[in-house]
Amino acid sequence: MFASLASLPQSVKQYLLITGNYWAFTLTDGALRMLVVLYFHQLGYSPMSIAMLFLFYEIFGVVTNLIGGWLGARIGLNKTMQIGLVMQVLALLMLVVPTEWLTVAWVMAAQALSGIAKDLNKMSAKSSIKTLVPKDAQGTLYKWVAILTGSKNTLKGVGFFLGGLLLTVLGFQYAILTMAAGLFLVVVLSSILLKGDIGKAKNKPKFRDIFSKNASLNYLAAARMCLFAARDVWFVVAIPVYFVSQLGWAHHNVGTFMALWVIGYGAVQASTPKLVKVDGHSGHKVAALWGGVLALVGGLIYFFLTLHDGASSQSVQQSLLLSMDIESLLVGGLLIFGVVFAVNSAVHSYLIVAMASDDGVSMDVGFYYMANALGRLIGTVFSGYMYQQYGLAACLLISTILAAMAALLILKVRVEAKN
């Protein structure tokens, strides 16, 4: 096996190293997310308070993608990737403190550092692929982006499961310490194996260049923002808390389900090139079509949920539709939503890498993932607020509206892939 790896082209070796680096980071990121949600719900925090714990994580993700793209173009993407890994280790160590020190402000600060780390790592990994694929190999680019994105989300799902398991077996502090030690080992190995010049722009970009002047790229970024807000508005806080508080699920069961959902979602993303044919000319139309389907799925779940909640006992008994188990409705709906969302996300991810400028690719990718982080921020805040004030159905309604907006916005994209 080692002989086979040694004989691979240098570009493929670097791709594998970047992917492995990204996997390791994502595993800890997913586990940390689930640990925080479940542990602080266990401590008695309200849904809105839990959402606020992730506020700085998402806010700093917005800022990081803008500045990180510019930084990557100046110093090289592998260096920004390493910085992200080190910052995640520090963020984890901030949480290895006595329980009484874990105030909202302290955890928000740790999450802020983690948010910076995550988006530095992701921006670096996604941008690096553009530099490793020949300009005339758009099919390969689509495939490599889908594999990286899909495998990352599969590992994030494993992280959700790991977070729930570690909380049950080791407790919060020891779980965090274990992850920090493992990630530090990755820092050491990747600093030795990764090359340092990937992604450096030939002409050093000015700081004012961080904002895109490409109208189609701006529309694509706006669509990405709405797409991820549509997911997170019911996925981040509302669903895990609903499963625990309303359906009586144990923490490890919630972690397992969320893990399987994200693993399946990642597998679909990685398989999207086999399922959906896309190129620089048709990608926006494909994304708009699947965005419309996503809005339809969210709308149907919202309709059946409100119909179920508003039905009288007598009508429930008379109607098979209304008497469906709410647990089955949500689990089944989440699975369908995940498949459709995965295809959307994979096509979006290909489009930005394909459209990005060859020189200083991280500038365009960073701007795009700034919008991605802004969408997560909007979704996270609304997930806690809408669920606490109005319930799960309201989260689903907002999700449906945002998914429809994403589908409409991406129709404005009119740029071919850059070769």
Side-chain angles (χ1 to χ4, degrees), residues 168-186:
T168 302
V169 175
L170 299 178
F172 186 75
Q173 278 80 11
Y174 283 111
I176 296 292
L177 188 59
T178 300
M179 293 193 298
L183 197 59
F184 180 74
L185 179 61
V186 175

Side-chain angles (χ1 to χ4, degrees), residues 212-271:
S212 173
K213 299 178 180 64
N214 183 320
S216 284
L217 197 150
N218 288 336
Y219 279 119
L220 180 61
R224 182 75 172 195
M225 178 187 72
C226 292
L227 180 67
F228 272 75
R231 181 196 68 179
D232 287 358
V233 73
W234 70 306
F235 186 78
V236 172
V237 176
I239 280 292
V241 173
Y242 187 90
F243 281 166
V244 171
S245 62
Q246 300 299 315
L247 300 183
W249 286 26
H251 289 159
H252 65 275
N253 289 334
V254 176
T256 299
F257 174 76
M258 301 297 275
L260 292 174
W261 189 89
V262 178
I263 289 170
Y265 155 67
V268 173
Q269 277 188 313
S271 303

Side-chain angles (χ1 to χ4, degrees), residues 312-363:
S312 66
S313 299
Q314 184 177 0
S315 64
V316 169
Q317 294 172 359
Q318 292 175 348
S319 171
L320 176 62
L321 175 64
L322 295 181
S323 63
M324 74 162 56
D325 178 55
I326 197 68
E327 187 174 62
S328 300
L329 170 66
L330 291 175
V331 170
L334 263 173
L335 294 177
I336 298 171
F337 187 94
V339 170
V340 180
F341 183 87
V343 174
N344 269 274
S345 179
V347 176
H348 275 239
S349 295
Y350 159 71
L351 284 174
I352 181 54
V353 177
M355 291 169 58
S357 300
D358 292 330
D359 187 35
V361 57
S362 62
M363 296 287 288

Side-chain angles (χ1 to χ4, degrees), residues 61 64-65 115-124 369 373 376:
T64 301
N65 277 295
I116 295 170
K118 191 281 294 292
D119 283 294
L120 276 177
N121 195 268
K122 179 169 73 173
M123 178 278 301
S124 302
Y369 281 105
R376 293 197 314 266

Side-chain angles (χ1 to χ4, degrees), residues 18-19 51 152 218 385 413:
I18 290 166
T19 301
K152 181 267 296 187
N218 288 336
Y385 177 78
V413 175

Side-chain angles (χ1 to χ4, degrees), residues 17 66 155 184 187 232 294 307 323 345 381:
L17 287 169
L66 279 177
L155 264 293
F184 180 74
V187 172
D232 287 358
L294 187 70
L307 202 62
S323 63
S345 179
V381 173

